[in-house]
Amino acid sequence: MAMVTSQSSSKASRVGSVRSFALSDGNSFYCSCERVFDPRLARVPVIVLSNNDGCAIARTPEAKALGIRMGEPWFKIRQLCRSEGVRVYSSNYALYGDMSSRVNEVYRRFSPRIEVYSIDESFVDLSDVRETERAELARDMRETVRKWTGIPTCVGIGPTRTLSKLANHIAKKHPELGGVCDLTDEQERAAWMGLIPMQEIWGVGPATARKLEAAGCDSVADVRDLDPRMARKSMTVVGERLVYELRGIACLDLETVAPTRKGCAVTRSFSDRVEDLAVMEQAVAAHASRLAEKLRAQALGTDHVTIFFHTSEHDRDGPQRSVSTVVTLPEASNDGLVLLKAAKFGVRRIWRDGYRYSKAGIISTDLVPLEASQRALIGAFDRERGGALMDAVDACNRRFGRGAVVSAAAGLERERSWSTKFEMRSPRYTTRLDEMPVVAAC
DNA sequence: TCTGGGGTCCTAGGACCC
DNA sequence: TCTGGGGTCCTAGGACCC
């Protein structure tokens, strides 16, 4: 079998042998997390809003039935939610992240090889499970997750990652399957593929869908039957792999060990527009501190950061401006004070009065393991002192909660006029002692 | 008259994902 | 009034090198 990959790769060592993947994901995951801790939410419409309470990013079936779409802005659905009694929550990532790791702990009991693909989805390798036993194992896994964490899931099984995603899609759309769909059988698979529109394929977005349409594709089966060479011509190696994956030939293997992160960013929309340099400095400084924290958690560093801010396209009347600048450091660092200083420097460099800025951020690409990074001959940071200080800051924040110790330059909570809205956040039940649910037994 | 060939690295931009 | 945040991969094209 020809390896369909853009670069020679040895990690797909098992590619070619018969594989089986299960994709398990949490149903309306964020909403389900909220339901675990509040039984009153069962069977009523629930939605969770994005950062800044901007738009709906998770909806229970009851909320979907009311016509609330994915990504719909909050201000457009507020009335509907009020009149229909929809329970609305701000994002509570501390809770969702913790619930996610609990769910993954359960998956690990069913297979030694799992890939945590996103906060609510994981691939589970079932290659060593007998074909006839896979669906049963999936049902068992699903029940165990439900019992131990309270999260409802759906599982799709297939010989490639793409087909397991497709199976998962079917499991979700067809409740009569009991939350598990196994596409191992070729005939059964072919029947389903003829029924599902190609837009549902994992990896097909609007641009690819237009190309596929032009090529006469309507269903998933049509894409499977494309000539792989033609697919490569119009859709690059990504398109060619897609065709093979749909044919049951695995081109993508599991990443069971999370690869070192390549980039990291902290960006936020402001709750109110920012027109003042001092406020912008404070906001970006806070983002920089947070970025440094994220890098420290993974022992990574960066020797340059991009600072950006821009106005909003939705402010039709005002003048528009979008700027960015790269600030280079003498050597890689993850010291909060170093990145904060770089951030403020960058902001001042590109600041211009007279605009109503809506969003700002700090981005770092090309992360390096800090210990292995090249030291500067001139301008090296005092890593011993800086590192000890940051260790102490991290320890305090772990113990007393994020934000317990911050740089004054990044602003205290109460003076942050720019900060993000979380007006309807539920308690962080599982990660904060003071927000733990209290149960009375009598 | 006539001006190589092949490689790497970097960046920007497009596309897609959750 | 009000429209999220944070990632990955791939390609083309330019700079540069020998």
Side-chain angles (χ1 to χ4, degrees):
Chain A
M1 186 209 103
M3 285 274 286
V4 185
T5 169
S6 57
Q7 39 197 269
S8 67
S9 153
S10 58
K11 77 183 173 215
S13 55
R14 301 180 70 170
V15 169
S17 57
V18 180
R19 307 299 312 276
S20 181
F21 303 96
L23 176 72
S24 183
D25 77 339
N27 304 341
S28 315
F29 183 66
Y30 296 171
C31 296
S32 295
C33 291
E34 300 293 347
R35 277 180 168 169
V36 168
F37 294 92
D38 190 346
R40 290 168 300 182
L41 301 181
R43 288 178 294 279
V44 302
V46 181
I47 65 171
V48 172
L49 301 178
S50 64
N51 255 322
N52 219 19
D53 295 344
C55 50
I57 52 168
R59 309 153 297 153
T60 60
E62 297 83 1
K64 289 175 194 171
L66 292 173
I68 298 172
R69 290 194 303 274
M70 184 69 180
E72 192 137 55
W74 168 229
F75 74 89
K76 281 191 186 170
I77 50 174
R78 176 180 285 170
Q79 276 314 316
L80 175 76
C81 289
R82 205 155 285 166
S83 61
E84 297 289 341
V86 178
R87 300 291 304 264
V88 182
Y89 288 88
S90 303
S91 297
N92 185 346
Y93 290 109
L95 176 65
Y96 311 149
D98 185 65
M99 292 303 288
S100 173
S101 54
R102 290 169 193 237
V103 170
N104 282 311
E105 280 313 303
V106 179
Y107 296 151
R108 276 184 239 280
R109 295 188 170 237
F110 287 83
S111 172
R113 278 172 52 87
I114 82 162
E115 174 186 336
V116 179
Y117 179 68
S118 74
I119 195 163
D120 72 326
E121 279 176 75
S122 291
F123 288 98
V124 180
D125 193 337
L126 299 185
S127 303
D128 297 332
V129 178
R130 254 196 292 272
E131 201 176 311
T132 49
E133 296 170 3
R134 287 177 194 148
E136 191 48 45
L137 180 140
R139 278 189 283 273
D140 188 9
M141 188 165 81
R142 194 168 169 267
E143 270 166 39
T144 310
V145 171
R146 178 87 209 210
K147 200 181 290 174
W148 292 5
T149 70
I151 300 291
T153 54
C154 280
V155 188
I157 302 168
T160 66
R161 284 166 63 113
T162 306
L163 287 170
S164 70
K165 283 285 274 191
L166 191 69
N168 179 274
H169 169 81
I170 296 167
K172 260 186 288 195
K173 292 265 165 167
H174 296 269
E176 71 275 12
L177 296 175
V180 174
C181 173
D182 183 359
L183 290 186
T184 304
D185 182 80
E186 215 162 322
Q187 286 190 346
E188 207 173 317
R189 192 158 81 220
W192 279 111
M193 288 169 95
L195 298 174
I196 302 172
M198 53 83 176
Q199 287 86 348
E200 303 294 344
I201 301 171
W202 184 42
V204 173
T208 308
R210 279 194 296 276
K211 281 181 193 164
L212 288 171
E213 200 181 346
C217 292
D218 190 26
S219 68
V220 178
D222 296 333
V223 181
R224 173 200 60 201
D225 296 337
L226 283 176
D227 177 348
R229 287 164 304 177
M230 296 305 293
R232 183 167 193 142
K233 237 175 222 169
S234 63
M235 292 170 289
T236 79
V237 66
V238 179
E240 187 183 13
R241 274 198 299 238
L242 196 61
V243 172
Y244 280 119
E245 285 259 322
L246 290 174
R247 292 180 182 190
I249 300 165
C251 304
L252 308 165
D253 200 3
L254 295 193
E255 305 262 9
T256 52
V257 181
T260 316
R261 186 191 287 271
K262 294 178 175 131
C264 196
V266 178
T267 69
R268 291 284 181 281
S269 295
F270 302 123
S271 51
D272 299 308
R273 300 283 187 258
V274 168
E275 301 178 67
D276 180 65
L277 172 60
V279 176
M280 181 66 84
E281 273 186 2
Q282 192 189 74
V284 178
H287 297 342
S289 297
R290 176 73 191 120
L291 177 74
E293 214 176 294
K294 286 166 82 173
L295 295 184
R296 289 199 296 277
Q298 300 177 70
L300 297 171
T302 182
D303 65 0
H304 57 274
V305 288
T306 302
I307 311 296
F308 78 86
F309 43 81
H310 57 72
T311 53
S312 168
E313 291 167 15
H314 303 290
D315 289 350
R316 297 242 166 68
D317 313 334
Q320 297 288 320
R321 184 159 188 259
S322 174
V323 279
S324 70
T325 184
V326 177
V327 180
T328 305
L329 307 172
E331 64 173 20
S333 175
N334 59 19
D335 185 313
L337 297 180
V338 168
L339 295 197
L340 186 151
K341 215 170 126 191
K344 294 185 104 170
F345 177 78
V347 169
R348 282 194 295 269
R349 186 150 75 189
I350 52 178
W351 177 261
R352 204 184 289 167
D353 282 319
Y355 297 89
R356 301 178 69 241
Y357 297 104
S358 67
K359 182 173 178 175
I362 179 167
I363 305 170
S364 165
T365 51
D366 310 309
L367 302 179
V368 293
L370 195 63
E371 280 309 311
S373 65
Q374 177 78 44
R375 298 303 305 260
L377 196 57
I378 300 165
F381 302 120
D382 186 345
R383 280 194 190 165
E384 284 63 42
R385 279 190 67 195
L389 176 59
M390 288 303 129
D391 285 348
V393 169
D394 290 339
C396 287
N397 287 334
R398 264 195 305 275
R399 178 153 174 200
F400 300 109
R402 182 178 298 156
V405 179
V406 295
S407 163
L412 301 173
E413 208 67 56
R414 58 186 156 75
E415 32 179 74
R416 288 181 173 188
S417 61
W418 48 270
S419 65
T420 301
K421 277 190 270 191
F422 286 101
E423 287 171 354
M424 297 161 280
R425 187 169 67 195
S426 53
R428 289 160 284 190
Y429 299 107
T430 62
T431 54
R432 295 282 292 244
L433 267 182
D434 50 339
E435 297 183 17
M436 238 167 41
V438 177
V439 179
C442 37

